[in-house]
């Protein structure tokens, strides 16, 4: 479709060397160029303002889940994340919706506390004994993985294998951005892990049919909608996708929290003394750093956005990290301030596909941060943090910590 001449155009890649280390100045440049900016190099329409980003994410009748085919191929079947038809999406999501509500998740608090203590206490001991340890490899990644393993009803003897599958699967997004042989190997290993996890989940699904149970796999297997309207591959893919969606993301939120609080020791001390600030602090880390920096959407039928008519098939890229620093919505958006008045950010998405696991992620990070502040309020980060190339799921590669 012919675009008006006034539409700003920029030429840039999100994967350029160093871009992801500090993408915020470039996001501001895009914002200054206009409310909707055509990226010639990526053939995408970039959107930065909070109202426009939420409009795109909230209007699934005009904007379809982007890259759906790649997701389906990856997980082996459609899941709630790849279905835009509201009735089918909501029926699938509805199977687990109650389990992820804040109230019912209180029933998982003891589990989360146990997992956090098991992982955090030995980590802190190592730091206290003088070691410098990478918190990403040795702490944050394991916590969400072990929590979701328990919620799915995975047997304890399989936890180490389950974590290895989850880590290898999560590494795919990084590997895909690495053009070297190592990147290719990471992707292949991740695909292999996903296939093995799918096979394992398939056996678990069969087991729950024979022995009904109250875990997440058991609940899906017993749900009338799954029994009558979902194929076997959709049931398996839905469980695998849950593992993928929740683990890297939550681990990255913990890693960002470590870095943000280390960079702001006064606020960290305030937080250690006033735990009512823990949840607001986690939201402020998420707002200001934003893990899912963008999600692509495909235009389904012609639609107007910020004065530009978009043709069917056009790709729109809502930049959530930019929306979360929109100066029209937040004062001093670049400042980290845990005492900010609460306002919803878009780090968990918005609309039909908004994150089903957001309350679980918040609970895990809250329990973990509370205990960290009890055990080690004055930790140090010993090396400059490398954010790698993954702008879509942005987070520290490693966080080396010392007591
Ligand atoms: C800090 C941690 C997390 C972040 C940043 C995050 C981010 C997101 C975002 C941005 C979306 C929307 C995707 C879209 O619009 O296409 C999403 C969807 C989703 N998330 Fe999360 N997520 C997190 C934790 C979790 C956890 C713990 C789980 C489950 C255990 C989970 C499961 C899902 C699922 C199943 C969807 C698809 C929902 C649907 O399509 O209806 N996420 N997440």
């Amino acid at each position: 479709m012919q675009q008006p001449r006034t539409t700003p155009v920029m030429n840039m890649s999100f994967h350029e060397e160093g871009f992801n280390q500090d993408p915020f100045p470039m996001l501001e440049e895009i914002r200054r160029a206009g409310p909707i900016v055509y990226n010639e190099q990526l053939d995408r329409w970039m959107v930065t303002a909070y109202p426009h980003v939420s409009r795109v994410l909230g209007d699934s009748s005009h904007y379809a889940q982007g890259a759906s085919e790649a997701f389906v191929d990856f997980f082996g079947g459609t899941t709630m994340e790849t279905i835009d038809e509201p009735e089918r999406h909501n029926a699938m999501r509805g199977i687990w919706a109650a389990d992820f509500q804040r109230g019912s998740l209180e029933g998982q608090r003891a589990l989360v506390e146990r997992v956090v203590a098991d992982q955090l206490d030995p980590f802190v001991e190592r730091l206290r004994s003088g070691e410098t340890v990478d918190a990403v490899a040795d702490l944050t990644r394991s916590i969400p993985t072990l929590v979701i393993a328990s919620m799915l009803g995975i047997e304890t003897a399989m936890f180490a294998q389950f974590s290895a599958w989850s880590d290898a699967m999560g590494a795919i997004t990084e590997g895909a951005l690495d053009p070297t042989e190592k990147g290719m190997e990471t992707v292949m290993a991740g695909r292999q892990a996903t296939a093995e996890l799918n096979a394992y989940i398939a056996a678990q699904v069969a087991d729950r049919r024979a022995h009904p149970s109250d875990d997440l796999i058991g609940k899906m297997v017993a749900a009338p909608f799954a029994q009558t309207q979902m194929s076997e591959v959709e049931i398996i893919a839905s469980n695998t996708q849950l593992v993928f969606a929740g683990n890297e993301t939550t681990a990255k939120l913990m890693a960002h929290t470590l870095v943000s609080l280390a960079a702001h020791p006064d606020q960290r001390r305030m937080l250690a003394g006033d735990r009512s600030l823990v949840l607001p602090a986690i939201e402020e880390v998420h707002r200001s750093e934003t893990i899912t920096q963008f999600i692509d959407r495909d235009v389904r039928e012609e639609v107007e956005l910020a004065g530009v008519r978009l043709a069917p098939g056009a790709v729109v890229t809502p930049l959530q990290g930019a929306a979360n620093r929109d100066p029209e919505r937040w004062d001093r958006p670049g400042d980290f301030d845990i005492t900010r008045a609460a306002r919803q950010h878009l780090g968990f998405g918005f609309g039909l596909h908004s994150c089903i696991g957001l309350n679980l992620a918040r609970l895990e990070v809250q329990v973990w941060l509370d205990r960290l502040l009890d055990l080690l309020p004055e930790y140090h980060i010993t090396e400059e943090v490398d954010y790698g190339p993954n702008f879509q799921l942005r987070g520290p590669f490693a966080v080396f910590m010392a007591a």
Side-chain angles (χ1 to χ4, degrees):
M1 175 189 284
Q2 196 70 35
Q3 295 302 332
R5 278 221 207 119
T6 49
T7 307
V9 176
M10 286 176 81
N11 256 315
M12 51 165 294
S13 154
F14 300 143
H15 308 308
E16 261 156 39
E17 181 80 25
F19 173 79
N20 198 36
Q21 195 62 20
D22 180 11
F24 301 107
M26 180 54 86
L27 294 179
E28 289 315 309
E29 212 174 296
I30 302 169
R31 192 196 310 285
R32 277 194 299 276
I36 178 160
V37 177
Y38 181 62
N39 186 329
E40 217 161 36
Q41 193 173 335
L42 301 177
D43 189 18
R44 276 157 169 65
W45 294 90
M46 302 183 293
V47 185
T48 46
Y50 187 97
H52 295 134
V53 170
S54 29
R55 188 176 319 158
V56 173
L57 295 178
D59 178 2
S60 48
S61 63
H62 286 99
Y63 302 96
Q65 184 62 273
S68 263
E69 279 168 27
F71 270 129
V72 173
D73 173 52
F74 180 65
F75 292 115
T78 49
T79 67
M80 66 178 100
E81 193 156 22
T82 57
I83 297 172
D84 287 310
E85 197 275 298
E87 210 176 315
R88 184 164 177 78
H89 168 273
N90 294 344
M92 224 184 241
R93 181 170 167 131
I95 294 171
W96 285 329
D99 295 281
F100 284 99
Q101 272 164 9
R102 197 163 30 177
S104 37
L105 282 169
E106 279 306 312
Q108 305 291 349
R109 188 177 280 271
L111 160 72
V112 174
E113 286 173 347
R114 197 172 61 242
V115 169
V116 165
D118 285 352
Q119 303 304 307
L120 183 61
D121 295 12
F123 176 84
V124 169
E125 272 316 304
R126 288 174 67 189
L127 264 53
R128 283 198 183 128
S129 72
E131 262 189 81
T132 297
V133 189
D134 173 11
V136 173
D138 286 11
L139 175 66
T140 63
R141 212 179 264 146
S142 56
I143 294 169
T145 310
L146 294 173
V147 169
I148 199 67
S150 296
M151 289 175 71
L152 287 165
I154 305 302
E155 60 210 304
T156 322
M158 283 298 291
F159 277 10
Q161 176 62 75
F162 185 84
S163 297
W165 283 330
S166 170
D167 288 352
M169 187 165 64
I172 287 186
T173 52
E174 243 95 35
L177 297 169
D178 176 355
T180 67
E181 203 165 314
K182 185 164 165 272
M184 176 104 78
E185 280 165 16
T186 305
V187 171
M188 296 304 284
R191 283 195 159 269
Q192 176 67 22
T194 311
E196 288 174 21
L197 179 58
N198 274 342
Y200 175 74
I201 298 278
Q204 296 296 302
V205 166
D207 173 75
R208 299 308 188 279
R209 290 209 175 96
H211 311 99
S213 77
D214 214 18
D215 52 51
L216 292 176
I217 298 178
K219 281 190 177 155
M220 179 163 274
V221 165
F225 183 80
Q227 287 180 353
T228 57
Q229 309 287 323
M230 283 172 74
S231 67
E232 192 74 1
V233 288
E234 283 177 327
I235 293 174
I236 295 162
S238 296
N239 284 280
T240 301
Q241 193 245 329
L242 207 56
V243 179
F244 182 80
N247 292 358
E248 280 290 303
T249 46
T250 309
K252 283 183 172 170
L253 182 52
M254 289 178 183
H256 277 303
T257 303
L258 289 171
V259 177
S260 295
L261 293 179
H264 300 90
D266 291 353
Q267 297 192 54
R268 184 176 59 183
R269 272 173 217 130
M270 192 197 317
L271 186 59
D274 178 0
R275 303 308 172 84
S276 70
L277 288 170
V278 166
L279 277 174
I282 295 165
E283 291 312 291
E284 177 63 355
V285 171
H286 201 170
R287 177 199 73 78
S288 61
E289 292 300 330
T290 308
I291 296 139
T292 314
Q293 285 281 339
F294 72 92
I295 311 173
D296 285 335
R297 291 288 196 257
D298 299 335
V299 174
R300 295 162 77 128
E301 50 184 83
E302 190 176 284
V303 65
E304 193 232 291
L305 184 67
V308 173
R309 296 210 71 76
L310 298 168
V315 180
V316 180
T317 299
L319 289 155
Q320 285 145 278
N324 283 347
R325 291 181 177 218
D326 184 345
E328 298 285 321
R329 188 170 171 87
W330 283 281
D331 288 338
R332 303 167 289 105
D335 290 1
F336 177 74
D337 178 1
I338 64 173
T339 64
R340 252 178 216 288
R343 296 204 83 179
Q344 189 187 350
H345 62 74
L346 299 174
F348 285 115
F350 185 73
L352 192 75
H353 294 291
S354 66
C355 181
I356 195 177
L358 63 89
N359 289 313
L360 178 61
R362 284 175 177 148
L363 175 67
E364 290 174 7
V365 185
Q366 180 198 13
V367 168
W368 163 82
L369 181 54
D370 235 335
R371 194 169 180 90
L372 177 71
L373 293 168
D374 285 343
L375 298 179
L376 196 71
E378 293 293 325
Y379 63 86
H380 302 281
I381 293 179
T382 59
E383 285 181 25
E384 201 197 332
V385 174
D386 176 5
Y387 290 86
N390 192 349
F391 181 58
Q392 184 146 33
L393 271 187
R394 183 172 182 270
F397 242 6
V399 178
F400 287 97
M401 281 175 69

